[in-house]
Amino acid sequence: MCHSSGNSCLRKKALAQIKGKDAEARRKRKMAEISQVLSTTPVDVAALRRMAISEGGLLNDEIRRQVWPRLLNVSVENIPKQLEPVDRDNNKDFNQVLLDVQRSLRRFPPGMPDEQREGLQEELTDIILRVLVKNPQLHYYQGYHDIVVTFLLVLGERLATALVEKLSTHHLRDFMDPTMDNTKHILNYLMPIIERVNPEVYDFMQQAEVGTIFALSWLITWFGHVLSDFRHVVRLYDFFLACHPLMPIYFAAVIVLHREEEVLDCECDMAMMHHLLSRIPEDLPYETLISRAGDLFVQFPPSELARERNQLTAVSTFKDFELASTQQRPDTVLRQRRKEQQQQQQRALEAQRGTVAVVQPTARRFMRLAVMGLTVALGAAALAVVNSALEWAPKLDLLFP
């Protein structure tokens, strides 16, 4: 009820309405920009990366169906119209896949009719088996189905099969080895990142001897297994598909860092700490965390961590993952973020001093893009896929020789 504070309540409502209108206006501008990029030949994949990382990601599944294949350099035109039949009877992975798929009920939208869900579960099983049969070097792991089901729900069986295969032979390749050795290598990046940002949290976790297993399901399912809201899952997939294959471990680090107070207030005990960290809060500020993960990647790239700690080196390769051109390499989007933020800070200082900054062509281009409804924090990060002479950093020679 608003009595003596009636004017204050009215002001708050008015501000909320303005905020809502601004958000909708930004959304419409972004949709128009994505549509324009997709209608241009050749399509500027670098711009699509920027859109996938910037605030709100790719906005809806219709856009994702058009953009995700391009982020993975999959030519939709070359995907067979008819999918190959699956021989379930003679497949060594069928029983385990079937068990996992049957346990995946929570991954489907609530209220979905049983018949529709069961049909999707059949398609999910077939996608997984089809990819494994075609790529015998890949080994199924529990949690893989959590990633595949996300692609199925967004893309449908035919398109999902092609993208999952590409993802499995690149981003997820280390998880699909016969052993978990390479997965452990990747998990070992978590604590060094935390140490550099917050030594106090790092020391406390070390004293508790909690290790990194609490983040295993986060990493190998791209958080699909642990997040209950599908909107958050696909938002993260937008981000991960547009970035370096190791970005999920940076996002895991920012979740821990975001929970600094909870961690330090927890009893310094391995079991208690593991229990706390393995449960992700429902109300995480995802856009803020995405922005911070990008910042940490630029500040502490995997190549630097690998150089300082030889034991972090993994053995698989992403040679094909440079995609179409140097300009489209995913990490330029994150590297340029810090440069743009510094430029913004410099312009603010010059404005305070009453001086006029000379806007160079590149800066002018950044400013024009920033007007497209991106937030200041994430907009600066997202602009980074514009033409850049920077090499993909890291080049992956240290990480994946």
Side-chain angles (χ1 to χ4, degrees):
M1 295 291 290
C2 298
H3 299 293
S4 60
S5 59
N7 290 336
S8 176
C9 287
L10 288 174
R11 280 197 298 271
K12 288 181 180 179
K13 289 180 180 178
L15 287 173
Q17 289 177 345
I18 293 172
K19 229 173 167 183
K21 289 180 180 178
D22 287 346
E24 183 59 26
R26 288 197 301 271
R27 180 183 176 87
K28 288 181 179 179
R29 283 198 296 269
K30 187 172 187 180
M31 290 184 71
E33 178 69 15
I34 295 174
S35 178
Q36 182 179 359
V37 172
L38 289 171
S39 65
T40 303
T41 305
V43 171
D44 184 355
V45 178
L48 295 179
R49 293 192 185 286
R50 173 172 55 79
M51 295 296 178
I53 291 175
S54 64
E55 183 183 16
L58 295 174
L59 302 176
N60 61 52
D61 288 350
E62 182 180 351
I63 293 174
R64 291 184 178 99
R65 283 190 282 273
Q66 299 177 72
V67 175
W68 280 9
R70 298 185 184 279
L71 295 182
L72 283 174
N73 198 29
V74 171
S75 175
V76 176
E77 294 76 15
N78 294 331
I79 300 174
K81 299 295 182 184
Q82 296 294 327
L83 294 170
E84 297 176 4
V86 176
D87 181 6
R88 297 185 174 188
D89 295 334
N90 298 309
N91 191 292
K92 63 181 178 64
D93 295 303
F94 172 66
N95 289 333
Q96 184 60 58
V97 171
L98 183 63
L99 286 173
D100 290 343
V101 169
Q102 289 175 341
R103 289 194 290 255
S104 66
L105 298 183
R106 59 178 293 274
R107 292 303 318 280
F108 293 90
M112 175 179 283
D114 289 346
E115 184 177 355
Q116 182 182 0
R117 174 184 49 75
E118 290 167 0
L120 287 170
Q121 286 179 303
E122 290 295 310
E123 292 178 1
L124 174 58
T125 301
D126 285 346
I127 292 173
I128 294 172
L129 297 179
R130 197 174 286 120
V131 170
L132 294 174
V133 168
K134 191 174 178 182
N135 299 272
Q137 77 277 16
L138 301 179
H139 297 263
Y140 179 76
Y141 65 89
Q142 288 183 277
Y144 181 66
H145 69 289
D146 281 301
I147 290 182
V148 179
V149 72
T150 303
F151 281 83
L152 172 62
L153 291 174
V154 172
L155 306 173
E157 184 181 9
R158 176 175 167 269
L159 194 51
T161 299
L163 267 65
V164 165
E165 181 178 1
K166 186 63 173 285
L167 195 75
S168 302
T169 54
H170 293 81
H171 291 67
L172 307 180
R173 182 63 186 86
D174 280 318
F175 308 147
M176 305 192 76
D177 275 348
T179 71
M180 287 188 62
D181 289 347
N182 287 330
T183 302
K184 293 175 183 176
H185 282 311
I186 296 174
L187 271 175
N188 283 341
Y189 283 91
L190 180 63
M191 295 306 291
I193 299 169
I194 294 172
E195 180 183 19
R196 281 160 175 74
V197 179
N198 194 323
E200 184 180 7
V201 169
Y202 169 81
D203 289 340
F204 194 76
M205 292 176 67
Q206 290 291 88
Q207 291 173 23
E209 299 182 339
V210 69
T212 57
I213 295 301
F214 68 86
L216 177 62
S217 64
W218 304 358
L219 179 66
I220 65 175
T221 70
W222 277 13
F223 296 85
H225 183 71
V226 293
L227 298 182
S228 58
D229 193 325
F230 191 70
R231 295 172 303 170
H232 297 153
V233 175
V234 292
R235 174 66 189 100
L236 287 182
Y237 279 42
D238 292 342
F239 179 47
F240 295 154
L241 288 171
C243 291
H244 187 284
L246 289 178
M247 186 55 73
I249 203 67
Y250 284 82
F251 193 80
V254 300
I255 289 180
V256 175
L257 292 165
H258 175 71
R259 303 181 69 189
E260 172 187 359
E261 291 186 10
E262 293 177 80
V263 171
L264 297 178
D265 287 342
C266 181
E267 184 177 338
C268 192
D269 171 78
M270 187 272 285
M272 297 291 289
M273 184 75 68
H274 179 87
H275 179 78
L276 171 72
L277 290 172
S278 61
R279 285 159 175 75
I280 296 181
E282 294 286 339
D283 59 346
L284 288 175
Y286 287 93
E287 296 300 335
T288 300
L289 296 183
I290 285 171
S291 179
R292 193 177 187 194
D295 286 341
L296 293 186
F297 183 93
V298 175
Q299 288 179 268
F300 313 113
S303 56
E304 175 186 311
L305 301 178
R307 192 178 299 115
E308 294 178 7
R309 296 169 179 258
N310 291 331
Q311 70 270 25
L312 295 178
T313 304
V315 298
S316 65
T317 177
F318 289 110
K319 288 180 181 178
D320 295 334
F321 197 73
E322 292 183 357
L323 304 179
S325 71
T326 299
Q327 287 76 22
Q328 291 176 8
R329 288 173 183 165
D331 299 337
T332 56
V333 73
L334 303 169
R335 281 181 153 272
Q336 190 62 42
R337 156 183 275 174
R338 290 184 66 78
K339 179 179 178 182
E340 173 64 8
Q341 288 174 333
Q342 290 166 357
Q343 289 174 341
Q344 289 177 341
Q345 292 169 358
Q346 181 63 29
R347 286 196 292 271
L349 287 173
E350 289 170 343
Q352 289 175 358
R353 294 170 184 160
T355 60
V356 177
V358 177
V359 181
Q360 299 298 328
T362 300
R364 191 177 295 116
R365 178 172 51 193
F366 288 158
M367 292 167 67
R368 184 175 68 250
L369 291 171
V371 173
M372 295 173 356
L374 308 176
T375 62
V376 173
L378 194 51
L383 305 178
V385 284
V386 297
N387 292 340
S388 166
L390 292 174
E391 290 293 313
W392 179 342
K395 187 63 176 173
L396 299 179
D397 51 351
L398 287 172
L399 296 174
F400 308 105

